[in-house]
Amino acid sequence: MPRIPRVRGLSSLQATIAPSCAANRTPFAARAALSTSARVQGKNTEWIRGKLWKGEAPGPADPYTQRMEPEEVSNLPAEAREVQSYAEYPTPEAVEQSRLVLPPRRTEAVTEKELQSLDPSYVPATELSGLEQIKPLQTWWQQPGHWGQESEFRGFAAGKVEDKSVVELYLRRAVIETLALQEAGLLNEWAAKKWPAGERAELDQTLAVEIVVQDGKATLKGDLSAITGRLTSEVEETELAERVSADEAQEIVKAWDASWKEVALNDHYLKFAIRKRVYQLTGRLIPDSKLGAARTAQHLLTLTVNPAKRGKKLAEVLETQSNLSALSNVKVHSRKVGPIDKEIAIGRWKVIEEELSKRGLPVTGTAGLAKNKERDWLSGRA
Amino acid sequence: MTIKAIRAVATGQNGVGSFILQCKKLDFHYCDWAGSSKGMNGFIKSLLPKFATANPQVEFAISPRPGKHPVIIGHYINGRTKPICVRNLSPYEILKKAELLRDANGEQLKRHNRAVTSNKPSVRGIWSPYHGKGMVV
């Protein structure tokens, strides 16, 4: 603070000549000229520095007036400049090859003057409505074109089959296919791989194979090599062909002899492969816990057609039992007894409800209001 | 409503009077899903009907409490409650806990060092014929 009022503190010549105010920033050329003059000034004071240090003096010649080299000036805000340094790294290969439409890299817009030399037809906007609207990055995946149908999850199995005879038809197909692979000795290798769903003609071809069961052992009669060849060929993914209709399936199933269902399935690989194929074709999955106990194709069919139901809740069981509900001193609730239920039981709830509505307060919940802050203020937590 | 004792000196009835069970209500809470409730669910299904029939003066309330361990809560006429967690117990162990709660008086547990607890203990102590001068007959 200056001792004499109305008189400013002594400022250096440099400061008075070149004000560092951002509003009237000096051009680069002018700054360069100033810095050279400062160096010249430094040479004049070299002799006194030499005397003071008795030899070569360390540090810059004039630490107060010498200016730093001007940096590259960017119009971007600080956080954008930080991100730009990341942008120098190359894009990872996985990102480049991705089918997803990724947000573009951040670039600095050219200035108006530079743009005029590039594109003379450019007219700057004078109103807000003239500016291009860009949605924020947060909503990138919600914007059209960035998350298409190709990116949506497609499950291994298509929709669930409801009809019993359709399930039976596809189960027979799965049994024939797996047995054919087993005979060819390819099952262990192909059990865990995805088999092509196949067209309608292929389905008919597979079902044409006869299963002859003798003492639980099955022998297939038909063209097995065609089936195994189709299953083990690397075919591109195709959409699942239209399923057989219920009426048609009923007719086909009726024509078969029921003895094919007695085929013994004791091999784990076999059961796993059949279950997987049935799931792929019908969308019905046999639970692991039930699969272990299944021994024949008939067992698998019952497990597929009648899926496990939810066990009864205790309250439901007690409802059917008369010995507990008949007692006058016992009350069975099917639902959790909450504070409101307790108030209702003693007849106080209607009074509470009335008083709350009289005061315009919410009967249940907090009506979206925040919790009490005063307690936090008093305890010094907030 | 809790029952409170009448503030009057009780008249001695020489053991002739009615007995009032201190437990008025037993709550049985269970969970349908959790394994710790397995014994409790079995108890409610198999043993509770008999137990409830044998104790008609006690009110029984059975209600689920999903995601919580099974518990029996006794309500007493002095206004207090006693909860006992019965997780992973077998039905017969749970029956013992239910009997314990039924027979409890609702007071907090106290250590009793003497056979008789008196409201007005005698200053002179209990008379004994073997002490003092003895009586001349």
Side-chain angles (χ1 to χ4, degrees):
Chain A
M1 185 128 174
R3 296 229 171 149
I4 313 158
R6 293 195 177 200
V7 173
R8 282 192 192 171
L10 291 167
S11 52
S12 68
L13 183 69
Q14 284 293 324
T16 46
I17 287 171
S20 60
C21 178
N24 44 7
R25 205 187 292 160
T26 49
F28 172 68
R31 271 191 230 168
L34 270 173
S35 62
T36 45
S37 68
R39 247 177 250 146
V40 170
Q41 217 174 28
K43 268 181 190 170
N44 294 342
T45 54
E46 201 92 304
W47 61 275
I48 196 161
R49 278 164 59 81
K51 289 231 164 176
L52 278 170
W53 291 98
K54 291 187 177 153
E56 204 170 303
D62 190 352
Y64 303 107
T65 52
Q66 198 175 37
R67 284 180 159 268
M68 297 291 287
E69 284 296 312
E71 290 171 14
E72 268 186 52
V73 185
S74 170
N75 294 329
L76 291 177
E79 62 256 36
R81 258 178 276 152
E82 265 175 38
V83 173
Q84 218 178 15
S85 63
Y86 289 113
E88 287 162 13
Y89 293 104
T91 318
E93 209 171 289
V95 175
E96 274 183 357
Q97 288 173 357
S98 167
R99 60 185 157 69
L100 298 174
V101 184
L102 294 168
R105 287 191 151 203
R106 197 188 283 252
T107 49
E108 195 176 340
V110 285
T111 57
E112 208 180 307
K113 278 181 192 170
E114 285 169 334
L115 192 70
Q116 269 171 359
S117 61
L118 288 171
D119 181 14
S121 64
Y122 172 73
V123 182
T126 50
E127 285 178 349
L128 181 69
S129 57
L131 287 170
E132 189 191 349
Q133 281 203 349
I134 297 167
K135 286 177 186 168
L137 264 187
Q138 278 178 338
T139 59
W140 179 262
W141 300 115
Q142 279 82 50
Q143 289 166 27
H146 296 167
W147 190 262
Q149 277 194 329
E150 80 290 338
S151 304
E152 268 162 28
F153 173 73
R154 236 178 299 152
F156 178 67
K160 247 184 189 180
V161 169
E162 295 300 328
D163 192 74
K164 192 185 163 188
S165 40
V166 179
V167 173
E168 193 177 333
L169 185 131
Y170 283 112
L171 177 70
R172 181 164 163 134
R173 178 183 174 180
V175 168
I176 291 169
E177 282 170 344
T178 27
L179 286 175
L181 275 180
Q182 199 185 30
E183 268 188 32
L186 292 166
L187 186 62
N188 290 12
E189 188 193 336
W190 279 86
K193 289 180 184 169
K194 191 176 178 181
W195 302 350
E199 298 292 317
R200 178 62 206 261
E202 291 167 3
L203 171 71
D204 293 334
Q205 213 179 347
T206 313
L207 291 177
V209 175
E210 262 186 73
I211 310 177
V212 181
V213 183
Q214 222 174 20
D215 302 330
K217 247 195 162 184
T219 35
L220 299 180
K221 281 180 187 170
D223 187 13
L224 297 186
S225 57
I227 296 171
T228 50
R230 208 184 311 125
L231 290 176
T232 53
S233 62
E234 300 277 340
V235 190
E236 268 189 36
E237 280 297 300
T238 49
E239 289 290 312
L240 187 67
E242 207 174 294
R243 286 203 184 107
V244 183
S245 69
D247 299 330
E248 201 183 345
Q250 222 162 5
E251 274 178 31
I252 299 170
V253 168
K254 260 186 190 175
W256 294 334
D257 184 18
S259 66
W260 78 268
K261 289 181 222 163
E262 285 155 23
V263 54
L265 308 167
N266 292 322
D267 187 10
H268 290 305
Y269 275 104
L270 203 66
K271 274 198 279 185
F272 171 74
I274 292 172
R275 166 190 187 243
K276 201 175 144 207
R277 187 66 167 159
V278 169
Y279 179 54
Q280 185 191 7
L281 298 173
T282 66
R284 282 177 171 266
L285 187 68
I286 303 166
D288 284 346
S289 53
K290 301 279 165 89
L291 188 72
R295 291 276 170 269
T296 59
Q298 177 66 51
H299 290 164
L300 288 183
L301 183 65
T302 42
L303 287 174
T304 329
V305 172
N306 312 318
K309 282 176 194 157
R310 173 182 70 85
K312 271 192 176 177
K313 289 191 171 180
L314 185 61
E316 291 166 359
V317 174
L318 294 180
E319 247 178 51
T320 54
Q321 275 185 12
S322 60
N323 51 5
L324 206 57
S325 51
L327 293 171
S328 56
N329 61 334
V330 178
K331 179 100 178 60
V332 180
H333 302 269
S334 56
R335 203 167 56 74
K336 182 189 161 186
V337 177
I340 295 175
D341 297 310
K342 282 176 190 163
E343 296 289 357
I344 288 169
I346 56 172
R348 207 157 52 187
W349 181 246
K350 53 180 179 285
V351 184
I352 293 170
E353 221 174 5
E354 206 175 280
E355 291 296 318
L356 284 170
S357 51
K358 206 196 282 174
R359 288 166 173 76
L361 293 167
V363 176
T364 50
T366 55
L369 297 170
K371 69 165 193 176
N372 155 3
K373 268 185 186 168
E374 284 79 354
R375 197 186 295 160
D376 286 353
W377 291 343
L378 288 173
S379 60
R381 231 179 282 165
Chain B
M1 285 289 277
T2 56
I3 299 166
K4 284 193 178 162
I6 301 161
R7 295 215 175 262
V9 179
T11 48
Q13 292 205 3
N14 256 350
V16 184
S18 66
F19 173 72
I20 297 170
L21 192 71
Q22 299 295 296
C23 176
K24 58 173 182 176
K25 189 184 178 190
L26 284 174
D27 278 337
F28 291 84
H29 296 298
Y30 64 91
C31 172
D32 275 305
W33 176 84
S36 65
S37 274
K38 210 176 158 193
M40 182 63 151
N41 294 3
F43 168 78
I44 291 169
K45 257 189 268 180
S46 56
L47 299 179
L48 189 63
K50 227 177 183 182
F51 185 69
T53 328
N55 297 288
Q57 68 274 56
V58 182
E59 183 190 344
F60 290 85
I62 305 154
S63 65
R65 251 185 7 164
K68 298 262 196 299
H69 285 310
V71 74
I72 310 175
I73 304 171
H75 298 262
Y76 297 89
I77 59 175
N78 64 357
R80 294 177 64 92
T81 55
K82 270 190 187 186
I84 294 182
C85 179
V86 290
R87 63 164 188 219
N88 300 326
L89 294 191
S90 70
Y92 283 99
E93 285 169 328
I94 294 170
L95 179 67
K96 277 192 181 169
K97 296 289 181 195
E99 279 169 353
L100 187 150
L101 282 178
R102 178 200 62 190
D103 297 339
N105 62 359
E107 288 290 327
Q108 257 188 329
L109 295 180
K110 283 179 202 159
R111 185 189 292 271
H112 292 281
N113 288 333
R114 298 178 185 193
V116 177
T117 315
S118 172
N119 287 337
K120 281 185 184 168
S122 159
V123 178
R124 296 167 70 185
I126 299 165
W127 179 81
S128 159
Y130 303 110
H131 296 91
K133 281 182 182 172
M135 240 193 280
V136 180
V137 183

